[in-house]
Amino acid sequence: MNASFRREIARVFSGPSAWVEVPLTHPVYNLVYAFPKGIPKIHEHDGLPAQGFGIFLGDRLVVYYSYQSDLGDGWEDPDVPSRSPGAA
């Protein structure tokens, strides 16, 4: 999904080089709840850190893309984190 999403969004914006990792100091991580370490890792299956990438127009974040996080699993099924390998 990552490759397809990046390819298609590049058709709308200025290409793959437009993606930057959103710094943890960005307000998006503190809008409703504080996420000082960034987005949570919902589904531990690969050991890679969750990351948030964005496309900025000027100083404005216009697209936010969560990567290696699988937030959808947590929203779909609240039991997913407890069933993930290595979960407490």
Side-chain angles (χ1 to χ4, degrees):
M1 183 180 125
N2 180 53
S4 335
F5 175 76
R6 288 177 184 254
R7 181 187 64 242
E8 296 304 315
I9 205 74
R11 296 174 68 188
V12 177
F13 291 96
S14 60
S17 63
W19 288 106
V20 295
E21 190 160 2
V22 177
L24 297 179
T25 56
H26 192 278
V28 74
Y29 294 117
N30 290 291
L31 289 173
V32 177
Y33 299 102
F35 291 98
K37 296 179 183 177
I39 55 176
K41 180 79 172 191
I42 299 299
H43 202 177
E44 288 289 345
H45 61 283
D46 56 13
L48 298 174
Q51 294 174 283
F53 291 99
I55 294 177
F56 288 83
L57 293 179
D59 291 336
R60 187 173 183 185
L61 177 63
V62 294
V63 177
Y64 183 86
Y65 175 46
S66 63
Y67 182 64
Q68 297 292 350
S69 173
D70 226 344
L71 293 171
D73 275 352
W75 293 328
E76 292 168 12
D77 185 349
D79 292 331
V80 166
S82 63
R83 290 195 315 254
S84 297

